[in-house]
């Protein structure tokens, strides 16, 4: 058969020598279907069979040495049919003892004067090697002198079989692997050609060679990933099918002047970035990140105003009904005197109201629609949707976002997140977006003091509550989510609520949890916002976005049950006004990381620093807390260790995707073909 025209990805694994039908079935469990998959099944470590000299072998080490048999084998039997075979051998001019356990079959091959290579654990005191592997040079040596790949195997697939099969695939199809990286990038980083790298990652000649192979493949993996994001971003720009918002700067200036505070420089900067995008013919796809309390809502309000004043409508989508209600209240207040019409759409709006609202939306009577996921349902139609703002939606990955964009004509999209994201993660999870960051908080904010106390100190915590309330402030008491049971979780909050009522009979204590109806929740929140309720006992339903500037005390019960970013979010509910604020973490952590988390919270109230430490403690996979995070599973790359490569790959990808030639030149057709296979480009013409 002539292979030269066959692409390895279209060759079923069955065609590789030694792969039977049942074995092929088993390979599927490893995600291996084709010759290419076999070659791309990389080892996770190597076994070292390189020859060593005895002089440098350390006691207890696994070594491979060359020797000549100098004594006839002797057999000792012990236990149930167990054997111990010993033979003297000469290695590096020394006489040593080789020991085999339960390897009687080798006895007849151990002839005097025969050369042998021995691999095993070295006992320096006894001058003895316990042999796990041996080869006879007169019969050929396959392993001796090499690094042998170690694959993840299982079922009836053994390490030896996998090695043989992958090697076979490499020999037959390895040379057909085509280069997929641009020549200039190969040169820039002195990367191995692809076919060479794939071969050498399985069979490195030495560790340096293996590292070179890995370096090339890690770069390839990160580059292709970043190229997908950057190409997606550029494709969107090139399509230029967005709305050009003609924004009158004077209108924006007037609105800003009407605010009860002056915008911070950071807010002004991001407003300008957003408005600049909105004026462009492509659909904006921008991430607005800023620490809790940085003042993102007013930025969103300005962008929405700009869309409306340019003759379109806006939508603000938030994850919870509580937040939707709150934004409804604050935007309505902010828009007083502008003539803008706001409306609220959540799952608990009655059918009749919903019908009226949808009609008004279609006629353009509603300018800004605020709501939960109910906003993106099929029957919600705008007269002219110009801007979608999503708040606290960091759990959306690029795939979900691309679905949202494909709904109808292309509105501008602004995604806000209050979880500061370490750059590594940001350029991975949000690499398709442009990013605006609010670094500074409004002036006059006093840093939040954080204390960690044991459960035994609740009396003092109660004293603290009393002090703040007497000073006219308000407090939150947060009860943790008990994952196994929402019912327990609610019970926990109810118990806490009863205790606080007993401890403070003269105060109004409120209760808020996930089992309450939307209108019950709204009622409690409104009462808390109006300071009719002084102490609010809540589950994590208040985690994101809730804004009651008069609240200055955040008490988190069983704080060890929360992740760092979550604690930071909770803490961000206070310190939102001019008063000094406090966060008290009540915790008796049993683990070291639990203690470490409490320490980090005490040390810093900078969200970016908290995020960095969180990433350190948890690792990237868990950082967002959900599988939906949009974080890719890299095969080889390690986001922490290969960070510098990730940065470089991102720049290279951005540069390439910005070139016209990338979209038209024949030379890039293979790269475009790789991208076209990705679901986010589904329906897009890449050539
Ligand atoms: P977040 O970024 O966490 O969403 P918010 O938008 O809720 O923050 O703002 C937090 C608080 O700060 C709100 O009460 C808001 O009115 C106030 N705020 C926003 N911008 C400023 C500013 N420039 N100066 C003073 N207070 C501000
Ligand atoms: Mg917010």
């Amino acid at each position: 058969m002539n292979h030269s025209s066959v692409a390895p990805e279209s060759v079923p694994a069955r065609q590789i020598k030694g792969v039977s039908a049942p074995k092929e079935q088993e390979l599927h469990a490893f995600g291996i279907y084709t010759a290419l998959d076999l070659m791309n099944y990389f080892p996770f470590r190597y076994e070292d069979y390189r020859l060593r000299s005895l002089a440098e072998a350390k006691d207890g080490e696994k070594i491979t040495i060359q020797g000549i048999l100098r004594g006839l084998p002797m057999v000792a039997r012990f236990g149930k049919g167990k054997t111990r075979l010993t033979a003297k051998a000469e290695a590096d001019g020394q006489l040593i003892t080789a020991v085999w356990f339960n390897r009687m079959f080798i006895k007849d091959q151990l002839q005097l004067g025969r050369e042998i290579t021995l691999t095993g654990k070295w006992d320096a005191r006894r001058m003895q090697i316990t042999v796990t592997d041996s080869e006879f040079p007169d019969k050929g040596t396959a392993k001796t002198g090499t690094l042998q790949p170690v694959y993840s195997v299982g079922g009836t697939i053994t390490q030896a079989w996998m090695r043989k099969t992958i090697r076979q695939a490499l020999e037959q199809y390895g040379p057909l692997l085509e280069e997929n990286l641009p020549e200039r990038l190969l040169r820039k980083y002195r990367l191995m050609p692809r076919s060479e790298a794939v071969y050498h990652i399985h069979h490195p000649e030495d560790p340096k060679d293996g590292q070179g192979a890995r370096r090339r493949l890690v770069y390839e993996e990160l580059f292709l990933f970043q190229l997908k994001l950057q190409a997606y971003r550029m494709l969107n720009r090139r399509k230029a099918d967005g709305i050009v918002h003609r924004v009158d700067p004077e209108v924006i200036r007037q609105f800003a002047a009407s605010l009860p505070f002056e915008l911070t420089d950071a807010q002004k900067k991001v407003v300008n970035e957003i408005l600049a995008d909105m004026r462009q013919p492509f659909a904006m796809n921008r991430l607005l990140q800023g620490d809790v309390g940085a003042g993102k809502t007013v930025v969103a309000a300005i962008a929405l105003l700009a869309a409306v004043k340019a003759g379109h409508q806006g939508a603000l989508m938030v994850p919870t009904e509580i937040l939707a209600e709150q934004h409804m209240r604050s935007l309505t207040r902010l828009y007083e005197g502008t003539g803008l019409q706001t409306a609220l759409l959540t799952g608990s709006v009655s059918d009749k109201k919903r019908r009226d609202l949808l009609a008004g939306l279609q006629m353009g009577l509603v300018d800004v629609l605020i709501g939960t996921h109910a906003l993106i349902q099929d029957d919600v139609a705008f007269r002219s949707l110009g801007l979608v703002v999503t708040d606290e939606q960091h759990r959306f990955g690029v795939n979900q976002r691309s679905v949202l964009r494909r709904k109808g004509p292309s509105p501008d999209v602004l995604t806000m997140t209050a979880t500061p994201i370490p750059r590594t993660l940001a350029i991975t999870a949000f690499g398709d977006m442009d990013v605006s960051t609010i670094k500074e908080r409004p002036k006059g904010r006093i840093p939040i003091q954080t204390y960690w106390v044991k459960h035994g100190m609740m009396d003092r915590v109660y004293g603290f509550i009393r002090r703040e309330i007497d000073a006219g402030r308000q407090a939150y008491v947060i009860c943790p989510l008990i994952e196994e049971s929402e019912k327990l979780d609610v019970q926990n909050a109810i118990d806490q609520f009863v205790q606080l009522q007993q401890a403070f009979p003269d105060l109004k204590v409120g209760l808020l949890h996930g089992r309450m109806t939307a209108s019950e929740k709204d009622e409690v929140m409104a009462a808390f916002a109006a300071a009719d309720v002084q102490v609010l006992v809540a589950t994590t339903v208040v985690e994101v976005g809730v804004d009651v500037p008069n609240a200055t005390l955040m008490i988190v019960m069983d704080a060890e049950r929360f992740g760092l970013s979550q604690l930071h979010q909770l803490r961000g509910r206070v310190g939102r006004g001019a008063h000094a604020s406090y966060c008290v973490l009540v915790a008796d952590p049993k683990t070291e990381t639990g203690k470490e988390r409490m320490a980090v919270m005490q040390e810093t109230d900078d969200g970016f620093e908290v995020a960095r430490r969180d990433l350190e403690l948890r690792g990237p996979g868990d950082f967002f807390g959900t599988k939906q995070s949009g974080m890719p599973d890299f095969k080889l790359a390690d986001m922490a260790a290969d960070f510098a490569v990730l940065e470089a790959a991102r720049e290279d990808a951005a540069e390439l995707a910005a070139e016209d030639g990338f979209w038209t030149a024949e030379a890039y057709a293979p790269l475009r073909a790789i991208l076209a296979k990705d679901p986010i480009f589904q329906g897009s013409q890449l050539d």
Side-chain angles (χ1 to χ4, degrees):
M1 189 164 130
N2 176 17
H3 284 145
S4 62
S5 59
V6 186
E9 65 258 42
S10 51
V11 175
R14 182 84 166 86
Q15 308 237 325
I16 304 297
K17 202 171 130 206
V19 181
S20 61
K23 275 284 193 295
E24 182 178 47
Q25 278 302 315
E26 265 195 88
L27 282 175
H28 292 176
F30 296 93
I32 299 171
Y33 295 83
T34 65
L36 181 68
D37 294 337
L38 271 169
M39 292 189 279
N40 278 341
Y41 196 72
F42 300 145
F44 61 90
R45 68 178 180 87
Y46 304 93
E47 256 163 28
D48 191 346
Y49 288 92
R50 285 172 302 159
L51 284 173
R52 301 274 299 272
S53 88
L54 270 188
E56 57 186 42
K58 293 192 193 70
D59 185 45
E61 217 183 350
K62 190 192 159 223
I63 56 168
T64 298
I65 50 170
Q66 188 136 37
I68 300 169
L69 288 162
R70 292 295 185 213
L72 283 173
M74 305 207 297
V75 180
R77 292 176 200 277
F78 61 100
K80 269 202 211 105
K82 292 190 174 139
T83 61
R84 182 177 186 274
L85 194 64
T86 52
K88 296 281 180 203
E90 184 191 325
D92 293 327
Q94 308 211 53
L95 205 58
I96 65 166
T97 310
V99 183
W100 286 260
F101 286 101
N102 310 316
R103 294 268 212 297
M104 280 300 281
F105 56 84
I106 205 162
K107 181 171 171 255
D108 291 343
Q109 303 174 45
L110 301 178
Q111 297 131 12
L112 275 183
R114 192 176 183 191
E115 266 193 85
I116 187 168
T117 60
L118 303 163
T119 301
K121 194 171 156 186
W122 176 239
D123 180 334
R125 196 177 55 83
R126 290 204 174 94
M127 295 290 282
Q128 178 173 303
I129 184 166
T130 305
V131 181
T132 50
D133 248 310
S134 54
E135 287 183 317
F136 297 97
D138 57 19
K139 275 175 48 188
T141 52
K143 292 180 184 171
T144 301
T146 68
L147 292 164
Q148 286 291 314
V150 181
Y151 302 102
S152 163
V153 292
T156 74
I157 293 183
T158 62
Q159 197 60 245
W161 187 88
M162 194 67 122
R163 274 182 193 156
K164 208 175 70 211
T165 306
I166 290 178
R167 179 145 213 155
Q168 189 66 41
L170 284 168
E171 271 161 23
Q172 273 178 268
Y173 295 98
L176 303 183
L177 284 171
E178 271 169 27
E179 186 52 71
N180 56 10
L181 292 178
E183 177 63 36
R184 66 163 177 217
L185 292 176
L186 292 178
R187 251 182 289 121
K188 179 173 173 188
Y189 300 110
R190 299 165 191 273
L191 297 174
M192 267 183 209
R194 178 153 175 252
S195 59
E196 224 172 275
V198 170
Y199 183 83
H200 286 286
I201 195 141
H202 293 281
H203 298 290
E205 256 137 45
D206 56 54
K208 241 184 94 199
D209 187 39
Q211 278 156 23
R214 184 182 179 279
R215 197 166 67 81
R216 140 85 209 204
L217 294 167
V218 164
Y219 179 83
E220 174 187 321
E221 184 170 40
L222 294 174
F223 175 78
L224 291 179
F225 176 72
Q226 286 293 343
L227 186 64
K228 154 180 146 174
L229 299 178
Q230 295 305 320
Y232 181 67
R233 188 170 150 260
M234 285 316 296
L235 186 69
N236 177 48
R237 290 187 175 228
R238 294 170 65 87
K239 271 199 298 207
D241 61 351
I243 297 166
V244 176
H245 286 93
R246 298 189 197 285
V247 185
D248 179 358
E250 193 44 42
V251 171
I252 304 298
R253 244 193 308 278
Q254 266 174 28
F255 180 70
S258 77
L259 294 170
F261 44 72
E262 198 192 335
L263 292 179
T264 63
D265 290 345
Q267 282 170 321
K268 286 180 196 158
K269 186 180 121 261
V270 301
V271 163
N272 285 332
E273 288 167 357
I274 292 164
L275 295 183
D277 271 8
M278 288 177 69
R279 291 190 178 100
Q280 296 285 334
F282 57 81
M284 169 169 75
N285 182 19
R286 187 168 280 276
L287 177 74
L288 173 58
Q289 65 167 345
D291 206 347
V292 274
K296 293 182 292 293
T297 310
V298 68
V299 172
I302 293 171
L304 289 163
L305 176 92
V308 174
K309 291 295 182 184
H312 302 279
Q313 291 161 296
L316 173 59
M317 191 164 83
V318 299
T320 67
E321 296 206 354
I322 291 177
L323 259 190
E325 300 270 1
Q326 176 186 291
H327 279 315
M328 179 65 190
R329 273 193 297 273
S330 53
L331 286 196
T332 308
R333 200 169 346 105
L334 283 172
Y335 288 149
E336 253 169 49
T338 61
L340 254 68
Q341 291 302 312
T342 48
L344 180 70
L345 180 61
T346 64
S348 45
V349 167
S350 73
D351 279 357
K352 155 116 189 45
K353 250 182 118 177
R354 186 165 194 276
R355 266 196 309 275
D356 291 350
L357 202 154
L358 293 186
L361 199 62
Q362 200 138 31
M363 286 188 286
L365 301 178
V366 173
D367 295 314
V368 175
L369 184 64
I370 299 159
T372 52
H373 274 81
L375 286 193
I376 52 168
Q377 277 158 17
D378 286 340
D379 60 341
V380 180
F382 291 76
R383 189 180 58 79
S384 171
L385 181 61
L387 172 67
V388 179
V389 179
T390 64
D391 192 11
E392 319 291 4
Q393 287 292 352
H394 59 264
R395 287 171 187 90
F396 272 154
V398 56
N399 297 327
Q400 284 91 337
R401 283 195 297 274
S402 71
V403 169
L404 194 115
R405 304 198 128 263
R406 281 205 293 272
K407 281 179 88 74
S410 298
D412 284 331
V413 175
L414 179 67
T415 303
M416 305 201 285
T417 173
T419 303
I421 304 152
R423 188 172 154 74
T424 340
L425 298 192
I427 65 177
T428 307
F430 301 108
D432 59 317
M433 308 174 97
D434 299 295
V435 180
S436 288
T437 305
I438 305 183
K439 286 245 169 67
E440 90 196 86
R441 290 187 218 181
K443 284 183 226 42
R445 296 274 175 80
I446 304 166
I448 302 165
Q449 296 264 2
T450 301
Y451 305 102
W452 164 27
V453 303
K454 303 273 166 86
H455 281 91
M457 289 166 75
M458 278 311 283
D459 282 354
R460 297 194 36 200
V461 174
Y462 278 17
F464 206 170
I465 296 178
R466 173 61 75 186
R467 204 189 78 186
E468 285 301 295
I469 306 296
D470 284 351
R473 307 281 85 81
Q474 292 163 275
Y476 295 94
V477 178
I478 306 299
C479 302
L481 203 81
I482 297 163
E483 281 194 14
E484 312 83 70
S485 154
E486 198 198 5
K487 218 162 129 195
L488 267 180
D489 170 27
V490 168
Q491 190 54 49
N492 199 18
I494 293 173
D495 291 347
Q496 194 65 51
F497 170 67
V498 171
Q499 275 174 36
L500 279 157
Q501 267 185 328
Q502 283 165 356
F504 302 102
D506 57 322
L507 299 184
K508 200 70 173 99
V509 181
L511 175 65
L512 188 70
H513 61 68
R515 285 271 172 112
M516 290 161 59
T517 66
S519 67
E520 283 170 338
K521 285 188 216 163
D522 186 38
E523 205 172 301
V524 178
M525 258 335 284
F528 190 65
D532 291 337
V533 162
Q534 284 104 27
V535 181
L536 182 64
V537 178
T539 53
T540 46
V541 287
V542 300
E543 181 189 342
V544 289
V546 169
D547 182 41
V548 180
N550 191 50
T552 53
L553 180 55
M554 166 58 65
I555 294 164
V556 184
M557 302 300 297
D558 301 311
E560 73 271 18
R561 291 175 179 271
F562 297 97
L564 262 180
S565 292
Q566 211 180 359
L567 286 174
H568 183 68
Q569 280 296 314
L570 286 168
R571 175 167 65 182
R573 297 313 107 218
V574 299
R576 303 173 79 81
H579 308 289
S581 294
Y582 310 91
C583 173
V584 179
L585 307 171
V586 183
D588 295 276
K590 295 195 175 54
T591 61
E592 278 313 307
T593 35
K595 287 176 194 158
E596 178 104 24
R597 281 207 294 271
M598 299 305 124
V600 171
M601 288 297 290
Q602 286 180 290
E603 281 161 29
T604 179
D605 82 331
D606 173 348
F608 286 90
E609 177 63 13
V610 170
R612 198 185 61 75
R613 301 284 290 267
D614 200 15
L615 182 60
E616 243 171 52
L617 288 173
R618 280 201 288 182
D622 290 334
F623 183 80
F624 291 104
T626 71
K627 281 265 166 240
Q628 288 247 303
S629 63
M631 296 304 279
D633 253 341
F634 291 124
K635 250 163 83 115
L636 272 184
D638 170 336
M639 290 231 288
D642 298 317
F643 173 59
V645 184
L646 180 67
E647 288 269 3
R650 176 182 168 83
E651 267 180 43
D652 298 332
E655 216 173 274
L656 181 59
E659 276 172 33
D660 273 340
F662 173 70
W663 301 91
T664 50
E666 196 47 44
Y668 296 118
L671 270 182
R672 291 197 299 270
I674 293 174
L675 294 184
K677 287 193 197 118
D678 196 283
I680 73 167
F681 291 104
Q682 180 203 322
S684 304
Q685 191 59 37
L686 287 189
D687 281 288

